[in-house]
Amino acid sequence: IVGEYLVMKICFIFPAGFSGFARAGRHLLQGLHQAGADLVVRTLQYDAPDPGSEFIPPDWMQKMMERPLEGINVVLQCTTANIEAEPKPGVLNILYSFFEYDRVPPTWTQKINQFHAIIVPCLANAQALDRSGVMIPILVMPTPTDASLYRKVYEPYPVANVGDRTVFYNICQLTPKKGID
């Protein structure tokens, strides 16, 4: 404690790659970095990358990935609650997570309740956790977003036999982190 303020050194753990959690994690990490947080970064690998693709961290992130774990008093994990999330002993454990359903399975609730707090990006996720029996503080914070990434102009992609109708196309993996359990 310095003066009246708690000085936090945060170990930020998130998946490096191209998943939705990876993108959300990078945005949150970038926001924390720009706000001046004292950060150490460690990455998870839970999705097989597409052939020929590789995540190369930018210089600002790489420097944080090389920092030692000494003096950590907060661990902030950006991942799902069913696989990789593991509270660490002797520190404040916060989970940042999100999902697409109106409740989480009991095994997820058990895992979440092992943390000190969970942050979710919307009220619907908070309500789902409440319905699921989560007993720790549930904080709602919209996902920070680098809006410049969405200014790209895309050419229309013609799809045979669709005409001028709107088509929604979803690519995902049917893995346990998608809540199929």
Side-chain angles (χ1 to χ4, degrees), residues 6 25 33 76 89 91 119 161 164:
L6 173 64
H33 173 65
L76 174 55
V91 296
I119 303 170
N161 303 317
D164 63 355

PDB file of all heavy atoms in Angstrom, residues 6 25 33 76 89 91 119 161 164:
ATOM      1  N   LEU A   6      -3.811   1.066  -2.962  1.00  0.00           N
ATOM      2  CA  LEU A   6      -3.257  -0.267  -3.124  1.00  0.00           C
ATOM      3  C   LEU A   6      -2.583  -0.304  -4.491  1.00  0.00           C
ATOM      4  O   LEU A   6      -3.200  -0.009  -5.507  1.00  0.00           O
ATOM      5  CB  LEU A   6      -4.359  -1.330  -3.066  1.00  0.00           C
ATOM      6  CG  LEU A   6      -3.946  -2.754  -3.383  1.00  0.00           C
ATOM      7  CD1 LEU A   6      -2.954  -3.263  -2.329  1.00  0.00           C
ATOM      8  CD2 LEU A   6      -5.147  -3.664  -3.433  1.00  0.00           C
ATOM      9  N   GLY A  25      -9.725 -10.513 -25.019  1.00  0.00           N
ATOM     10  CA  GLY A  25      -8.597 -10.399 -24.100  1.00  0.00           C
ATOM     11  C   GLY A  25      -7.596  -9.356 -24.552  1.00  0.00           C
ATOM     12  O   GLY A  25      -7.109  -8.552 -23.756  1.00  0.00           O
ATOM     13  N   HIS A  33      -3.366  -1.556 -20.394  1.00  0.00           N
ATOM     14  CA  HIS A  33      -2.023  -1.052 -20.689  1.00  0.00           C
ATOM     15  C   HIS A  33      -2.055   0.462 -20.915  1.00  0.00           C
ATOM     16  O   HIS A  33      -1.241   1.207 -20.355  1.00  0.00           O
ATOM     17  CB  HIS A  33      -1.469  -1.780 -21.913  1.00  0.00           C
ATOM     18  CG  HIS A  33      -0.167  -1.249 -22.413  1.00  0.00           C
ATOM     19  ND1 HIS A  33       0.996  -1.299 -21.689  1.00  0.00           N
ATOM     20  CD2 HIS A  33       0.154  -0.643 -23.587  1.00  0.00           C
ATOM     21  CE1 HIS A  33       1.979  -0.759 -22.385  1.00  0.00           C
ATOM     22  NE2 HIS A  33       1.489  -0.350 -23.535  1.00  0.00           N
ATOM     23  N   LEU A  76      -5.865 -11.784 -13.240  1.00  0.00           N
ATOM     24  CA  LEU A  76      -7.064 -11.544 -14.031  1.00  0.00           C
ATOM     25  C   LEU A  76      -7.021 -12.490 -15.217  1.00  0.00           C
ATOM     26  O   LEU A  76      -6.144 -12.393 -16.073  1.00  0.00           O
ATOM     27  CB  LEU A  76      -7.112 -10.087 -14.502  1.00  0.00           C
ATOM     28  CG  LEU A  76      -8.227  -9.683 -15.450  1.00  0.00           C
ATOM     29  CD1 LEU A  76      -9.600 -10.010 -14.893  1.00  0.00           C
ATOM     30  CD2 LEU A  76      -8.117  -8.199 -15.780  1.00  0.00           C
ATOM     31  N   PRO A  89      -3.219 -19.445  -5.799  1.00  0.00           N
ATOM     32  CA  PRO A  89      -3.180 -19.209  -4.350  1.00  0.00           C
ATOM     33  C   PRO A  89      -2.477 -17.895  -3.991  1.00  0.00           C
ATOM     34  O   PRO A  89      -1.530 -17.481  -4.653  1.00  0.00           O
ATOM     35  CB  PRO A  89      -2.402 -20.413  -3.813  1.00  0.00           C
ATOM     36  CG  PRO A  89      -1.616 -20.923  -4.978  1.00  0.00           C
ATOM     37  CD  PRO A  89      -2.389 -20.571  -6.214  1.00  0.00           C
ATOM     38  N   VAL A  91      -3.392 -14.700  -4.049  1.00  0.00           N
ATOM     39  CA  VAL A  91      -3.621 -13.460  -4.788  1.00  0.00           C
ATOM     40  C   VAL A  91      -5.125 -13.225  -4.938  1.00  0.00           C
ATOM     41  O   VAL A  91      -5.929 -14.129  -4.697  1.00  0.00           O
ATOM     42  CB  VAL A  91      -2.967 -13.487  -6.187  1.00  0.00           C
ATOM     43  CG1 VAL A  91      -1.452 -13.585  -6.102  1.00  0.00           C
ATOM     44  CG2 VAL A  91      -3.539 -14.622  -7.035  1.00  0.00           C
ATOM     45  N   ILE A 119     -16.072 -10.713 -13.875  1.00  0.00           N
ATOM     46  CA  ILE A 119     -16.491  -9.581 -14.707  1.00  0.00           C
ATOM     47  C   ILE A 119     -17.107 -10.159 -15.971  1.00  0.00           C
ATOM     48  O   ILE A 119     -16.541 -11.064 -16.597  1.00  0.00           O
ATOM     49  CB  ILE A 119     -15.293  -8.682 -15.082  1.00  0.00           C
ATOM     50  CG1 ILE A 119     -14.586  -8.169 -13.835  1.00  0.00           C
ATOM     51  CG2 ILE A 119     -15.751  -7.528 -15.972  1.00  0.00           C
ATOM     52  CD1 ILE A 119     -13.266  -7.470 -14.120  1.00  0.00           C
ATOM     53  N   ASN A 161     -27.748 -18.481 -55.189  1.00  0.00           N
ATOM     54  CA  ASN A 161     -29.140 -18.779 -54.850  1.00  0.00           C
ATOM     55  C   ASN A 161     -29.665 -18.033 -53.629  1.00  0.00           C
ATOM     56  O   ASN A 161     -30.652 -18.441 -53.038  1.00  0.00           O
ATOM     57  CB  ASN A 161     -29.336 -20.285 -54.645  1.00  0.00           C
ATOM     58  CG  ASN A 161     -28.920 -21.082 -55.864  1.00  0.00           C
ATOM     59  OD1 ASN A 161     -29.235 -20.688 -56.989  1.00  0.00           O
ATOM     60  ND2 ASN A 161     -28.211 -22.165 -55.653  1.00  0.00           N
ATOM     61  N   ASP A 164     -30.899 -11.083 -52.861  1.00  0.00           N
ATOM     62  CA  ASP A 164     -30.511  -9.922 -52.047  1.00  0.00           C
ATOM     63  C   ASP A 164     -30.876 -10.102 -50.578  1.00  0.00           C
ATOM     64  O   ASP A 164     -30.917  -9.157 -49.820  1.00  0.00           O
ATOM     65  CB  ASP A 164     -31.135  -8.646 -52.603  1.00  0.00           C
ATOM     66  CG  ASP A 164     -32.653  -8.667 -52.562  1.00  0.00           C
ATOM     67  OD1 ASP A 164     -33.237  -9.712 -52.197  1.00  0.00           O
ATOM     68  OD2 ASP A 164     -33.261  -7.629 -52.877  1.00  0.00           O
TER      69      ASP A 164
END
